[in-house]
Amino acid sequence: MEPVNSSCASCQRCPKDPLSKIRDQTRLMERKARDLSNCYVTHQGLHRTHIDTLCHEPVPGFPKGKIVTQPEMDMLQQLYRTMVYMNQSLQIIREHQQDLNEPDAVLLQELRHAHLAVRGLLSNIVCAFCVQGASPSPVTIPERPTVTKAFQQKIEGCKVLWNYARFMERLAKSLRENRKQVRRTKMGRRQGKKKKAPPGC
Amino acid sequence: MNHFELQTLLLCVTACFCIYHTKESRVFPVTFLNVSKNSTLQQLLVEWDVSDSAHESEQEMVFEIQVSQTEEKNVVWIEYYNTTLSKLTKPLFWSWDSELPLECASHSVRIRSKVAEVWSPWSSWETVLGLDTSDADKPLIFPEDKVVQEGSNFTFCCIGGKNQKVEKIIINTSSLVSTPKRTIVRTINEVSLGAAGGQAISCTFNGSGYKKYTGTLLHVGRLPDEPKNISCETRDMKTAKCTWNSGNNVYISGKYLAQYKLFDWFSQKTLCSEIQVSRSEEWCVCSWDIHQQMTYNFTLTAENKLGKKSVNFNFDVAHRVYPFQPSDLWEEYVSASKVKLYWTMEPRDKAIELICQIEDNHPDGKVEWHNSSVVHSNTYANIMISGLQPYTIHKFQIRCGAAKHFWKWSEWSKDLTITTKEAAPSGKLDLWRDITPVMGGRNVTLFWKQLPGFQANGRNISYEITWENLEEATEPEHISISAPHNSTRICIGYHSYRISITAKNHINSSSPSEIIISGATDNDAEEKINGTDKEERVEGTDHGIWIHWQPRNTFDGYIVDWYNFPNSQPCDFQWKRSGFNTSGVLIDAVAFVPGVRYHFRVFGSVANKASLLEKKVGYSKELPPSDPDVKIIGLIPYSVSLAWDSYRTDGTQPGFIRGYNIYVKSLPGFNLKGSTKYMAPDGLVWCKYTIKNPEEKRFTVEHLVPNTAYELAVKAVTGGGETPITQTLNINALDDSNKIYLPLVLGIIPFVLITAICFWKHKWLKDYCSQIPSPDRKVLSFDGFKVASETELKVSDCIPDAVTLESKSEAKKLNLWSQRSMLEERKTAITDSSWLPLVPNEDGDFTYSSSDSEAGIWHLKNPVYSSSAAHDSMPYQNLRMLHTSEPQPLPLLYQPQHDIEIMNKDTVVSRRETMIGDTSLVYISQMEVPCSGSRLNDLYCSTEPGECLGYNLSSDVVTSISDGDLEQYSPTSTSTMGTLLPD
């Protein structure tokens, strides 16, 4: 697949603290991603066995391990790559589901909302690069086999959404822990400063 | 063998050969057989042929076709194919729809033919291989994405890759373990409707291979419904549009949704195709250009994967014109009641004949419609609207429809709001008056309102009032009142006057309305009925208050007037007119409030001159009145007297007071004589007395049981009933102490008398028997008093009485009073200075005033709580004089007496004030003498001037009893005791 280029023409429309925005957005998207995965499974008429056997498989678009532990720029790059992948995957899933559902089906609406959220997160990731005077590196999306059969399309969508929900869950959890750690560190520094201060101050 | 025999033999041989030859030639075995498959349609395609001679001879033949599945050649289908061969039917063709997907197993076909009951040999089997025989690594499932009808059977197969065997089959929500085979075939019987996106069916495999599962979707649905509610129309005669409803849900969606096709048989054209409808919208639309074709014969077909349904209908464009919404509505004023409206229509490039409807919305909500004549869509249409109300806001809107073959109205145009021009007020005012006599004339308050049909027709309305003296030639007087005022007051003399009123605006005035005020004198200036002010009661209903009167022939109409708010300002004066032939009118004023007394006056009117006929008073609804403030004015052992004199029975009450109910409750099951039983809503039983006279505000409950607690309640009754019993007066009936003391008194008195007699006798014997007196000797001689020798000495004469007069400044004086004076005093005197003044406290009991005591005045003390000698007495049981020095024996002090009410504080005060001047004299009783039988009120009644010599102060306490109490209760009032001191 062709690399996706990104540019940082202007940071004018970026929020002041894009990382904070990303953190907040991630927290919201965590629950939405879980709901979407469940909604998808419900609408597909898939049996639990289908899901356990066929859906719960890793797909190559999602990173392994905690990306939060990486340096900030690397973490952002990984997140950027994952969201680019999700952006394309959601586009494909929506097209497949349009062939199977009514235009106003709840699943299609949920997919559309998820797609918008992913695009919003991508925008904030680009901003996070931008405010640091950088831009994300072009990413190459892993090649996926073209699926023509409706059943296989369902399974592929199921896999992607299940992995997406797990990824967002891990990401949100890591960000929460990371934030706590940062606070503890800050508190420790303050206390250290206080201890150093002369008595009576 | 002769020649004939030889010929016969040859003929037979020839014939036999011919027959044999013919038989051999009538068997046409299959010479060519080819079998293939159409995977999309899941059809097995069979092609075969027989020899050309069979075609040429146009044989009628039967072919038996056998279809077998699997390599074991299990025959699953036998078809007998009848045909008549010809040169055109070469080769022969037949197809077979397979329930089992053709990929699931190898399918083989063989054929034989039959001519004249003779079967040809079978052809060899021709086989189409299934994918179960392939060497592919990838597992497969067939069919893929199948659409089937609800209730049908569905067969599928899973084929493992090379070296793979089916492990599990997952259908919907169930998972089945399979026998370990490479290919598994399953049939689901009577499939049911499922998820919109299809039901998932999958197989998992074990064994080698990069993929361990495969799956398919089963879409179960229904045939499309026949299109419903088909409607075709045009708006501009250029394009037409048909809409229809897709009908019921067919449960298959997305790319499998039904598609619609609209075909016109006249033009042989499909106007619309592949029209889809979503499940939520359910409506399909097809539009096309009309050009010159005005009539159509349509077939509308709905088709999905499961089949199709059609409906035929005709469409005549000219009969289905739905015009566009008219626009550009504007007005031209012609007069105050006429306006001309203009508007434009579509299409402008075609002349469609239309009729239009104009809706005229009045401000009062009234709506009028006006229809235009036939207009063409490409012209400026107009219509004259007349009969409009001057100076009124009108809101117009317009819509149009086809003049010929009307189909439906267009949408309404946008509103046009106009205000018509002003005109003179139309209609008349209703004028009425209220006359109040004043010094030297009469004040006439004029009221007016607009009669139905009155229209102001303009701005700045004023009311012009003119009044003229009809008896003296004077200039009429005039005032102008601006709207919205609707009343004014003028002053007129005692002559007759004509008063008229008109409404006036910028343009002109309305017709006048008149009333005539009759002349009067100074004495009869106030309007009365035959010189009286008697009001007749009327009763309200749920609908209002009916006012009836005695109709008279002399009047041409009647007027009833009243105040809507008689107890507040403004009173909202109202009146209502009725015709000459009426005798009553329902006053249904919504302002009427239950519990408010309304006064009505009925006037008869002739030639605008009105005279008062009757007066009425009533309530729209009577309510239960307030409770009377009840006082206990008397309490004796067997009865209690109640009074509520101050209770008002006038218009301040929420209903006409019809009487009173007195409720008494005591021991369960106890009944008071003369009462009736009454069960309260709370289940308590009361004895009930009824007073039907509202002005009778006293009542004595008799036949009480002494020393028994009673609860009392007095309720006033109106037409609205009475309030529930929530507060009661609690009393204890007095104990009948006579029963206790009478035997004691009866025992002591004879003893005292006997003792006295004995003492006297002893002394007499001593004085007279030992020293026999001279017959001329006087028996007794006292200074200042002489008793005649002939007078027989009596015991009472021997009791020395004396009154000690004390003054703060003077020493004690002893005076001997005459017997007569003493008796007088027994009747009249109460030495107020010897008793504590009664002052009612909050509980209705009496106590003494320390200030008065300090001033040297003795007070009468509440015997219930204060008297040490009255431990057993009940409230109000007795009024006794308390000695200031030594208490006297109880039997002499305590006598059952009638009660008095000494509660009028004002009276006490006033009397006390009277006393102040005489407080230098303080009467001290040194010996109490019971005055049984004499009563306090007797004393009051005897305290006339001249009869209270030397004892004028003693009546002070008595006179503190209210006048009313004394008047009624004097015969049974409390007695008191006069005291005399012995010398």
Side-chain angles (χ1 to χ4, degrees):
Chain A
M1 193 166 279
E2 289 297 314
V4 177
N5 284 316
S6 62
S7 61
C8 181
S10 171
C11 298
Q12 284 178 354
R13 299 180 70 181
C14 288
K16 284 181 181 175
D17 185 3
L19 274 176
S20 175
K21 280 275 176 193
I22 289 168
R23 200 177 295 116
D24 294 344
Q25 216 170 351
T26 306
R27 197 173 59 246
L28 290 173
M29 287 170 71
E30 176 200 1
R31 186 172 56 81
K32 293 275 182 189
R34 191 172 59 244
D35 292 347
L36 176 63
S37 179
N38 292 335
C39 177
Y40 184 88
V41 168
T42 308
H43 271 74
Q44 304 311 308
L46 294 172
H47 182 241
R48 176 56 56 189
T49 316
H50 287 125
I51 300 157
D52 294 341
T53 314
L54 312 180
C55 293
H56 294 179
E57 276 184 16
V59 290
F62 295 95
K64 295 173 182 173
K66 289 185 178 178
I67 64 170
V68 180
T69 54
Q70 298 173 3
E72 188 175 292
M73 295 305 282
D74 291 349
M75 183 270 284
L76 284 173
Q77 183 60 40
Q78 285 272 26
L79 189 56
Y80 177 75
R81 182 181 171 282
T82 310
M83 288 301 120
V84 168
Y85 171 77
M86 266 315 292
N87 186 31
Q88 289 201 351
S89 296
L90 280 169
Q91 182 65 40
I92 294 165
I93 293 169
R94 287 178 68 187
E95 285 169 7
H96 290 163
Q97 290 299 318
Q98 277 164 1
D99 278 348
L100 297 173
N101 290 281
E102 295 289 333
D104 52 358
V106 176
L107 177 63
L108 294 183
Q109 291 175 26
E110 294 288 319
L111 286 167
R112 189 170 66 86
H113 293 154
H115 204 178
L116 288 171
V118 166
R119 287 177 188 170
L121 187 59
L122 269 175
S123 171
N124 281 330
I125 295 166
V126 172
C127 279
F129 278 105
C130 194
V131 292
Q132 296 191 29
S135 59
S137 305
V139 295
T140 305
I141 305 297
E143 201 74 43
R144 301 296 307 272
T146 307
V147 180
T148 53
K149 303 298 179 188
F151 178 81
Q152 196 56 35
Q153 288 171 350
K154 280 190 173 185
I155 297 297
E156 288 302 313
C158 183
K159 280 182 189 175
V160 169
L161 294 178
W162 181 75
N163 277 274
Y164 171 58
R166 281 192 67 198
F167 171 77
M168 292 308 297
E169 185 184 352
R170 285 201 314 268
L171 180 65
K173 188 180 175 185
S174 303
L175 286 171
R176 278 196 297 272
E177 287 171 355
N178 195 34
R179 196 171 192 180
K180 284 177 188 172
Q181 200 171 352
V182 170
R183 280 180 183 168
R184 277 198 293 270
T185 310
K186 282 183 180 176
M187 290 279 285
R189 280 180 193 165
R190 281 179 195 166
Q191 284 171 355
K193 281 182 184 176
K194 281 182 182 176
K195 282 176 186 175
K196 286 176 186 175
C201 288
Chain B
M1 185 179 291
N2 56 24
H3 180 72
F4 179 75
E5 288 176 339
L6 184 63
Q7 277 187 331
T8 304
L9 182 63
L10 285 173
L11 188 62
C12 288
V13 169
T14 308
C16 289
F17 178 78
C18 286
I19 288 166
Y20 174 79
H21 185 78
T22 306
K23 275 190 176 177
E24 277 294 306
S25 64
R26 285 174 70 185
V27 176
F28 299 103
V30 172
T31 56
F32 162 74
L33 176 61
N34 181 36
V35 181
S36 61
K37 67 180 177 186
N38 182 337
S39 296
T40 310
L41 299 173
Q42 284 294 311
Q43 283 182 336
L44 202 61
L45 308 174
V46 182
E47 271 185 306
W48 74 98
D49 208 351
V50 290
S51 63
D52 289 344
S53 59
H55 288 282
E56 286 167 1
S57 63
E58 297 187 345
Q59 285 286 336
E60 192 175 312
M61 296 183 74
V62 177
F63 294 94
E64 182 183 0
I65 305 167
Q66 284 189 342
V67 180
S68 68
Q69 280 175 342
T70 72
E71 290 166 4
E72 287 79 30
K73 304 288 187 297
N74 299 325
V75 175
V76 293
W77 192 263
I78 296 172
E79 179 83 19
Y80 292 96
Y81 182 86
N82 296 309
T83 185
T84 302
L85 298 181
S86 71
K87 290 178 182 174
L88 297 174
T89 57
K90 192 178 177 181
L92 295 158
F93 181 82
W94 176 74
S95 67
W96 178 65
D97 292 323
S98 175
E99 274 193 20
L100 177 72
L102 295 172
E103 294 84 355
C104 293
S106 297
H107 286 77
S108 301
V109 176
R110 69 176 182 176
I111 303 173
R112 64 175 179 171
S113 65
K114 185 174 81 170
V115 178
E117 303 301 322
V118 179
W119 285 102
S120 73
W122 283 102
S123 69
S124 59
W125 290 99
E126 280 295 319
T127 303
V128 177
L129 291 175
L131 292 178
D132 55 335
T133 58
S134 75
D135 291 336
D137 291 333
K138 197 171 135 186
L140 301 166
I141 187 167
F142 295 101
E144 291 179 323
D145 297 349
K146 178 84 172 174
V147 180
V148 296
Q149 195 164 347
E150 179 193 14
S152 61
N153 298 338
F154 172 67
T155 302
F156 69 97
C157 68
C158 292
I159 305 167
K162 194 178 176 184
N163 303 321
Q164 283 185 329
K165 288 186 175 164
V166 178
E167 184 185 37
K168 274 192 287 188
I169 303 165
I170 306 165
I171 304 168
N172 267 344
T173 56
S174 58
S175 172
L176 311 169
V177 179
S178 168
T179 51
K181 288 182 181 175
R182 186 184 177 192
T183 302
I184 290 291
V185 177
R186 285 280 183 277
T187 299
I188 305 170
N189 294 320
E190 295 182 357
V191 290
S192 54
L193 299 167
Q199 303 168 36
I201 295 170
S202 62
C203 294
T204 60
F205 301 88
N206 54 23
S208 60
Y210 77 96
K211 195 177 171 190
K212 296 293 178 74
Y213 74 91
T214 185
T216 188
L217 293 179
L218 172 63
H219 303 271
V220 182
R222 292 173 180 165
L223 275 169
D225 261 7
E226 234 177 48
K228 291 183 175 67
N229 302 322
I230 302 165
S231 172
C232 299
E233 63 193 19
T234 180
R235 304 206 70 166
D236 54 5
M237 300 295 281
K238 286 188 281 188
T239 58
K241 183 175 78 175
C242 286
T243 57
W244 61 90
N245 187 270
S246 61
N248 293 326
N249 183 12
V250 295
Y251 291 94
I252 43 179
S253 53
K255 63 184 177 184
Y256 302 115
L257 269 174
Q259 293 192 339
Y260 294 86
K261 187 173 76 176
L262 187 64
F263 179 77
D264 172 39
W265 291 94
F266 290 159
S267 61
Q268 291 291 312
K269 284 181 183 172
T270 299
L271 297 179
C272 297
S273 61
E274 296 183 1
I275 293 173
Q276 274 197 342
V277 61
S278 73
R279 191 184 294 178
S280 56
E281 290 170 358
E282 295 183 354
W283 284 95
C284 299
V285 180
C286 172
S287 298
W288 71 95
D289 291 332
I290 295 170
H291 300 302
Q292 300 301 318
Q293 187 179 351
M294 297 298 285
T295 55
Y296 296 85
N297 182 14
F298 283 131
T299 294
L300 178 61
T301 306
E303 184 172 7
N304 67 7
K305 289 273 183 182
L306 299 174
K308 60 183 175 183
K309 283 189 181 170
S310 300
V311 61
N312 299 313
F313 61 96
N314 293 315
F315 172 45
D316 188 337
V317 176
H319 290 203
R320 294 288 183 270
V321 178
Y322 173 37
F324 283 116
Q325 176 187 33
S327 57
D328 304 330
L329 187 61
W330 80 97
E331 82 286 359
E332 180 190 331
Y333 293 101
V334 178
S335 69
S337 60
K338 277 186 186 176
V339 69
K340 199 171 188 178
L341 298 178
Y342 296 85
W343 68 95
T344 58
M345 295 161 291
E346 294 287 340
R348 305 294 296 168
D349 54 351
K350 281 203 171 188
I352 303 175
E353 288 189 340
L354 301 170
I355 54 165
C356 297
Q357 188 178 58
I358 295 95
E359 186 183 82
D360 177 7
N361 290 278
H362 296 242
D364 57 2
K366 189 180 159 193
V367 181
E368 282 185 52
W369 285 276
H370 308 270
N371 289 327
S372 75
S373 55
V374 174
V375 292
H376 288 91
S377 62
N378 58 351
T379 60
Y380 288 104
N382 65 74
I383 185 172
M384 180 78 80
I385 308 289
S386 57
L388 300 177
Q389 185 63 46
Y391 195 62
T392 309
I393 296 169
H394 290 263
K395 191 171 74 177
F396 294 103
Q397 52 183 359
I398 189 165
R399 63 181 180 180
C400 299
K404 290 179 184 173
H405 312 295
F406 180 86
W407 164 233
K408 63 167 81 166
W409 289 110
S410 69
E411 300 93 346
W412 285 106
S413 68
K414 289 181 181 173
D415 292 343
L416 170 69
T417 303
I418 64 160
T419 304
T420 48
K421 301 291 181 189
E422 290 186 64
S426 57
K428 291 178 80 173
L429 297 169
D430 183 2
L431 181 64
W432 186 235
R433 84 296 182 279
D434 186 31
I435 301 171
T436 312
V438 291
M439 188 70 76
R442 292 170 289 178
N443 270 345
V444 178
T445 309
L446 296 169
F447 301 90
W448 58 90
K449 58 188 175 187
Q450 295 170 357
L451 281 170
F454 177 88
Q455 296 294 338
N457 293 343
R459 292 166 290 175
N460 300 329
I461 288 288
S462 64
Y463 299 103
E464 308 297 319
I465 297 160
T466 308
W467 63 101
E468 60 176 320
N469 191 330
L470 298 175
E471 297 174 24
E472 284 184 358
T474 55
E475 275 294 309
E477 295 183 77
H478 171 263
I479 56 169
S480 180
I481 308 291
S482 61
H485 296 293
N486 61 355
S487 69
T488 189
R489 178 179 290 173
I490 61 172
C491 187
I492 61 173
Y494 294 120
H495 291 143
S496 298
Y497 282 83
R498 177 188 288 120
I499 305 172
S500 69
I501 185 169
T502 60
K504 185 181 176 185
N505 64 12
H506 283 306
I507 307 298
N508 211 336
S509 298
S510 67
S511 308
S513 299
E514 289 181 354
I515 55 171
I516 292 172
I517 309 289
S518 304
T521 63
D522 194 5
N523 295 328
D524 66 349
E526 187 177 351
E527 290 181 298
K528 286 186 178 176
I529 316 153
N530 301 326
T532 67
D533 231 3
K534 190 180 175 186
E535 287 182 314
E536 183 190 341
R537 286 186 183 179
V538 289
E539 287 191 4
T541 66
D542 291 340
H543 308 291
I545 300 174
W546 269 104
I547 305 295
H548 291 278
W549 58 82
Q550 190 66 41
R552 289 157 210 188
N553 294 331
T554 50
F555 297 115
D556 58 14
Y558 298 91
I559 302 113
V560 178
D561 68 14
W562 71 95
Y563 289 108
N564 263 349
F565 308 112
N567 301 327
S568 59
Q569 285 292 337
C571 306
D572 190 16
F573 183 76
Q574 297 287 325
W575 72 98
K576 192 168 185 176
R577 292 180 183 272
S578 69
F580 68 94
N581 53 354
T582 56
S583 62
V585 66
L586 177 68
I587 310 295
D588 54 351
V590 290
F592 283 168
V593 177
V596 174
R597 186 178 286 192
Y598 296 96
H599 300 269
F600 301 91
R601 296 188 299 178
V602 182
F603 292 85
S605 169
V606 57
N608 296 327
K609 190 186 288 184
S611 49
L612 182 61
L613 300 179
E614 296 176 25
K615 283 187 173 184
K616 313 280 181 182
V617 61
Y619 296 82
S620 65
K621 186 183 177 185
E622 291 187 64
L623 298 178
S626 59
D627 289 342
D629 182 15
V630 181
K631 292 171 182 172
I632 295 172
I633 56 169
L635 182 63
I636 59 173
Y638 297 102
S639 66
V640 60
S641 296
L642 308 170
W644 53 95
D645 300 326
S646 59
Y647 191 68
R648 296 178 69 170
T649 57
D650 56 8
T652 58
Q653 296 292 358
F656 297 116
I657 301 293
R658 315 282 168 109
Y660 307 94
N661 288 330
I662 296 96
Y663 296 94
V664 185
K665 193 176 75 175
S666 179
L667 303 170
F670 181 79
N671 196 12
L672 286 171
K673 193 176 175 185
S675 68
T676 57
K677 277 197 174 180
Y678 166 74
M679 181 173 282
D682 56 6
L684 296 174
V685 178
W686 297 75
C687 294
K688 177 182 172 184
Y689 298 93
T690 302
I691 298 174
K692 292 188 176 176
N693 180 6
E695 299 307 322
E696 191 179 326
K697 299 176 185 175
R698 293 189 175 208
F699 188 77
T700 300
V701 182
E702 296 176 325
H703 311 294
L704 300 179
V705 177
N707 204 17
T708 306
Y710 287 92
E711 287 182 62
L712 298 166
V714 177
K715 296 284 171 187
V717 183
T718 66
E722 60 186 76
T723 56
I725 302 169
T726 53
Q727 289 186 333
T728 57
L729 284 171
N730 297 323
I731 62 151
N732 272 326
L734 294 184
D735 196 2
D736 191 358
S737 56
N738 275 338
K739 289 177 181 173
I740 301 167
Y741 297 116
L742 192 60
L744 195 61
V745 171
L746 289 174
I748 289 171
I749 289 174
F751 174 75
V752 171
L753 286 174
I754 291 165
T755 307
I757 289 167
C758 290
F759 177 76
W760 179 75
K761 282 288 180 186
H762 171 74
K763 197 174 179 182
W764 183 81
L765 286 171
K766 191 178 175 182
D767 293 344
Y768 293 94
C769 294
S770 58
Q771 297 172 12
I772 298 169
S774 164
D776 298 325
R777 189 177 173 182
K778 291 180 181 176
V779 176
L780 286 171
S781 178
F782 296 101
D783 291 338
F785 286 95
K786 288 183 179 177
V787 181
S789 58
E790 297 78 12
T791 306
E792 188 179 333
L793 193 63
K794 294 176 182 175
V795 174
S796 59
D797 295 336
C798 299
I799 299 170
D801 291 341
V803 172
T804 303
L805 295 174
E806 265 193 0
S807 171
K808 286 179 180 176
S809 56
E810 294 176 10
K812 292 179 181 177
K813 288 182 180 177
L814 294 174
N815 293 305
L816 189 63
W817 290 72
S818 68
Q819 180 73 15
R820 183 177 180 275
S821 299
M822 186 191 74
L823 292 172
E824 289 273 338
E825 286 158 13
R826 282 184 181 176
K827 286 183 180 175
T828 61
I830 291 178
T831 50
D832 66 301
S833 53
S834 302
W835 310 95
L836 302 174
L838 291 174
V839 179
N841 62 17
E842 291 175 359
D843 298 321
D845 300 322
F846 297 101
T847 184
Y848 69 91
S849 164
S850 61
S851 59
D852 288 348
S853 176
E854 286 165 11
I857 301 168
W858 290 96
H859 301 274
L860 187 64
K861 198 170 183 180
N862 185 350
V864 177
Y865 300 109
S866 304
S867 172
S868 58
H871 300 296
D872 300 324
S873 65
M874 306 306 290
Y876 304 98
Q877 188 177 16
N878 206 348
L879 288 175
R880 287 168 296 142
M881 297 178 180
L882 300 180
H883 200 279
T884 54
S885 54
E886 291 177 9
Q888 295 301 306
L890 280 175
L892 297 177
L893 276 170
Y894 192 87
Q895 292 293 326
Q897 303 296 337
H898 293 285
D899 306 292
I900 59 168
E901 181 184 286
I902 309 177
M903 296 179 72
N904 194 332
K905 195 175 179 179
D906 295 336
T907 313
V908 172
V909 170
S910 64
R911 286 294 175 182
R912 196 178 299 150
E913 286 167 355
T914 311
M915 280 163 36
I916 290 171
D918 300 325
T919 47
S920 55
L921 288 177
V922 178
Y923 298 88
I924 297 174
S925 171
Q926 295 181 355
M927 178 181 152
E928 292 178 347
V929 177
C931 192
S932 179
S934 64
R935 290 162 183 162
L936 200 61
N937 279 13
D938 294 341
L939 295 172
Y940 171 78
C941 292
S942 64
T943 53
E944 294 296 325
E947 293 186 20
C948 303
L949 296 172
Y951 262 90
N952 55 339
L953 288 174
S954 65
S955 64
D956 281 342
V957 172
V958 178
T959 53
S960 68
I961 302 165
S962 65
D963 295 345
D965 295 339
L966 292 169
E967 283 171 11
Q968 187 160 349
Y969 285 88
S970 55
T972 55
S973 296
T974 307
S975 64
T976 187
M977 295 164 283
T979 57
L980 294 173
L981 290 174
D983 193 4

